[in-house]
Amino acid sequence: MRSTFYPSFVEVSNTHDQLEEKYHNALKDIGFQFDKEEEGDSIVNTSWNLSRGYEVHLTFQMDESNYICVDARERPLNWIHGSVLGSSNIPDIRYLLRTTKSISNSMKDAILPPGKDIPIKLEPDGTVTFTPNDENQKEKLCYIRKMSKRKRFKKYHYLNAFNDVCLDASIILAEEYNKLENGELHGPTKVCELRVEFDTELLLCADSNYHQWADMVIKISTSLAKALSRHGIVR
């Protein structure tokens, strides 16, 4: 469960390499340590509309020469979804508290029949083609996200006498395709994101409570926002 997502609104003058470096330095400033780097060219996340009110997310991963579906879930339910506005010197903080649920095999087969490869192909010029050209699948597909790289960081945080918490942060470089009003997929749009994730399972630990957990989330988020500001990341 991802319990918070942290984006920054940045000047166009920042390249993705510059953003990655500034994010890295900001995380280092507040005590996060680099853990590992993952190449993500083999992972594609997609969203599909089975009906006007029901959306599912499928994750595909390259297995030798073909993509296979490795995860199938309903669209996440956001219990908390909002932003704390910064200022001209401090970036905004966006919080998400969400839950997800896996879908049945029969529901997955409604999108991707058994034995079929991934029905989409991302062309170098940014266009999306379907293999084979299936209009039914084309109509259902509403979003594609191809991760290029992910850098993971960790930080240990004292929560209380019983819990020394390990926090996870990520810098993600990805390409996104979004469906326009005319039904066509537009992209790719390159993004460079910074995320900090807090485990809500901590609320079930001994002598842990919501106030301690919320205080940790706010303190880490605001200290990161200030660190980003020092490195030139502002609203």
Side-chain angles (χ1 to χ4, degrees):
M1 181 190 302
R2 180 176 303 126
S3 45
T4 188
F5 167 69
Y6 186 101
S8 294
F9 299 91
V10 298
E11 297 178 1
V12 179
S13 58
N14 285 283
T15 66
H16 289 92
D17 289 340
Q18 290 172 327
L19 287 177
E20 182 181 345
E21 181 181 2
K22 292 178 179 180
Y23 289 167
H24 188 137
N25 290 334
L27 288 170
K28 183 179 178 181
D29 286 351
I30 65 169
F32 278 88
Q33 299 294 322
F34 175 72
D35 181 30
K36 60 182 177 180
E37 181 173 317
E38 302 170 350
E39 296 298 329
D41 286 338
S42 63
I43 299 175
V44 177
N45 296 299
T46 61
S47 297
W48 305 75
N49 286 322
L50 294 190
S51 66
R52 288 185 178 273
Y54 190 72
E55 180 180 317
V56 298
H57 294 183
L58 301 184
T59 299
F60 297 94
Q61 187 166 5
M62 179 66 75
D63 181 21
E64 296 180 352
S65 60
N66 295 318
Y67 278 99
I68 60 173
C69 183
V70 295
D71 191 55
R73 297 180 178 273
E74 294 181 354
R75 179 181 179 178
L77 174 61
N78 293 321
W79 299 92
I80 297 175
H81 184 186
S83 298
V84 176
L85 298 181
S87 64
S88 58
N89 298 318
I90 300 292
D92 298 347
I93 305 172
R94 184 184 179 197
Y95 292 100
L96 282 179
L97 176 61
R98 56 173 47 173
T99 56
T100 60
K101 181 180 179 181
S102 300
I103 64 173
S104 64
N105 288 331
S106 60
M107 190 70 69
K108 184 175 69 173
D109 293 344
I111 304 171
L112 189 65
K116 275 196 174 183
D117 296 331
I118 179 173
I120 57 176
K121 182 180 180 181
L122 310 179
E123 303 291 353
D125 63 356
T127 58
V128 181
T129 58
F130 288 77
T131 51
N133 188 10
D134 189 326
E135 290 299 323
N136 185 41
Q137 290 177 329
K138 184 177 180 180
E139 183 178 346
K140 293 176 182 176
L141 181 62
C142 60
Y143 174 78
I144 303 172
R145 178 184 177 93
K146 184 174 183 291
M147 189 174 71
S148 303
K149 181 170 65 174
R150 182 171 189 164
K151 296 173 69 173
R152 292 184 179 272
F153 299 78
K154 291 187 178 297
K155 171 185 171 68
Y156 287 94
H157 178 83
Y158 176 83
L159 184 63
N160 55 41
F162 296 90
N163 297 293
D164 195 16
V165 182
C166 182
L167 304 177
D168 295 311
S170 298
I171 300 173
I172 299 174
L173 278 71
E175 296 181 345
E176 296 181 341
Y177 301 76
N178 290 278
K179 178 170 284 188
L180 303 178
E181 291 184 0
N182 62 7
E184 296 297 323
L185 282 166
H186 174 73
T189 300
K190 293 185 178 181
V191 297
C192 182
E193 296 178 346
L194 173 56
R195 299 180 179 180
V196 179
E197 299 180 359
F198 301 90
D199 188 1
T200 53
E201 293 295 324
L202 294 173
L203 298 174
L204 304 178
C205 296
D207 290 337
S208 181
N209 59 63
Y210 174 79
H211 296 289
Q212 288 179 327
W213 184 85
D215 183 67
M216 173 185 66
V217 172
I218 293 171
K219 284 183 177 179
I220 295 295
S221 300
T222 53
S223 63
L224 180 54
K226 293 177 181 178
L228 287 168
S229 177
R230 292 193 294 270
H231 288 282
I233 304 296
V234 296
R235 281 186 72 192

